[in-house]
Amino acid sequence: MSSEILNLPLHVAITMDGNGRWAQERNLARTAGHDQGLKTVKKIVKKASDMGIKFLTLYIFSTENWKRAEQEVGFLMNLIHLHLCDEMDFYSENNIKLNHIGDIKALPKNIQKDISKALAATKDFTGMQLNLAINYGGRDELIRGIKKIIENKVTSDQITEELISKYLDMPESPDVDLLIRTGGEQRLSNFLLWHIPYAEQIYTKTLWPDYSLEEFEENIRSFSLRNRRFGAEKAQGK
């Protein structure tokens, strides 16, 4: 049994990269990688909840992913639909509250309904909050947030970091403490641009379908040992 990790991140975000390459390495269709990746999602969500992490954000489908082949996009939309419809018992058993981030209005109508139902079904749960980034882009989030600020006739003297955050997609979530990206690439890919000013970052070569509970726990443990200074000369409290 692993030893307890004392300094847990409050908010973890994951870019789940490598599904397509995982499938290609096995001479399978890219869709097989997404199917296997969904199984990894469920394992990691359960592990994060059990560890006591309060907020977890998963990059599921970006605003740029529409550029992929129509067949792959259709498969991903169906996979999202099936997951949201079939996993409510899982979220109920683990007291996990769901939240959506991204432009919901640009998603297919059935996916919009699935998201709305899932959010309503879990709104009173008090465990970990799981932010599902579906049709999400960091710049798109900022544009939508700015439009809301203008529509609400907010004056320039009212603008603060706290106010801007309230108009973005996850006002209940604190800034990201730890950003993990699987698949070997080392870039942000338009993910959570406002929310990661001092996030610790871990990049692993492991393709998402192969990302294990042990590696996730090791990534959390690595975070717990880092000296976070937040721009100061020394770490807070040191």
Side-chain angles (χ1 to χ4, degrees):
M1 182 180 295
S2 59
S3 58
E4 182 181 2
I5 300 174
L6 298 178
N7 186 28
L8 285 174
L10 186 61
H11 187 176
V12 177
I14 306 178
T15 299
M16 306 175 294
D17 196 15
N19 289 341
R21 280 171 286 156
W22 181 91
Q24 290 170 345
E25 288 178 359
R26 291 159 177 78
N27 295 315
L28 300 171
R30 288 175 60 86
T31 52
H34 296 307
D35 198 29
Q36 187 66 31
L38 186 57
K39 297 176 182 178
T40 302
V41 166
K42 190 172 179 179
K43 291 190 298 184
I44 296 302
V45 168
K46 178 71 164 64
K47 180 67 173 178
S49 176
D50 289 346
M51 291 179 75
I53 291 168
K54 300 300 183 184
F55 299 88
L56 176 65
T57 302
L58 301 180
Y59 207 3
I60 295 173
F61 190 90
S62 77
T63 50
E64 290 74 38
N65 285 158
W66 296 108
K67 300 173 185 177
R68 296 187 178 186
E70 184 178 349
Q71 180 183 4
E72 184 176 358
V73 170
F75 181 86
L76 286 168
M77 288 297 119
N78 187 58
L79 206 60
I80 292 169
H81 165 73
L82 293 175
H83 179 77
L84 291 173
C85 291
D86 295 345
E87 296 298 342
M88 285 303 101
D89 287 344
F90 168 76
Y91 292 119
S92 178
E93 291 166 3
N94 291 282
N95 197 28
I96 294 171
K97 179 180 179 179
L98 294 179
N99 181 49
H100 170 258
I101 64 173
D103 184 4
I104 192 170
K105 295 179 181 178
L107 287 166
K109 295 295 184 182
N110 66 315
I111 302 297
Q112 293 184 39
K113 291 179 181 179
D114 294 336
I115 291 172
S116 296
K117 288 181 180 179
L119 268 56
T122 64
K123 66 181 178 64
D124 294 324
F125 293 170
T126 57
M128 184 179 75
Q129 176 166 307
L130 176 60
N131 299 309
L132 303 175
I134 305 173
N135 194 34
Y136 175 86
R139 287 185 171 183
D140 178 74
E141 179 188 20
L142 288 169
I143 289 169
R144 288 184 288 104
I146 291 169
K147 288 181 177 178
K148 292 175 188 176
I149 289 173
I150 294 171
E151 289 167 0
N152 282 273
K153 296 180 170 53
V154 176
T155 60
S156 61
D157 61 307
Q158 294 176 302
I159 298 292
T160 62
E161 289 187 13
E162 291 74 20
L163 180 136
I164 292 172
S165 293
K166 289 179 181 178
Y167 282 93
L168 298 181
D169 289 350
M170 46 182 187
E172 296 179 355
S173 301
D175 283 344
V176 174
D177 295 304
L178 173 61
L179 174 65
I180 299 170
R181 179 167 184 152
T182 64
E185 304 291 352
Q186 298 186 33
R187 56 176 177 263
L188 297 178
S189 296
N190 200 17
F191 188 38
L192 301 178
L193 302 181
W194 176 265
H195 310 279
I196 57 170
Y198 284 101
E200 298 295 318
Q201 299 176 34
I202 292 177
Y203 297 93
T204 170
K205 293 182 179 180
T206 305
L207 302 178
W208 177 251
D210 290 330
Y211 188 64
S212 66
L213 299 179
E214 291 76 18
E215 184 169 5
F216 178 66
E217 184 172 332
E218 181 55 37
N219 290 162
I220 300 300
R221 190 176 303 281
S222 175
F223 165 87
S224 73
L225 299 175
R226 292 193 181 186
N227 180 12
R228 306 184 73 200
R229 295 188 296 275
F230 300 94
E233 183 178 352
K234 295 182 179 180
Q236 290 184 350
K238 298 292 185 179

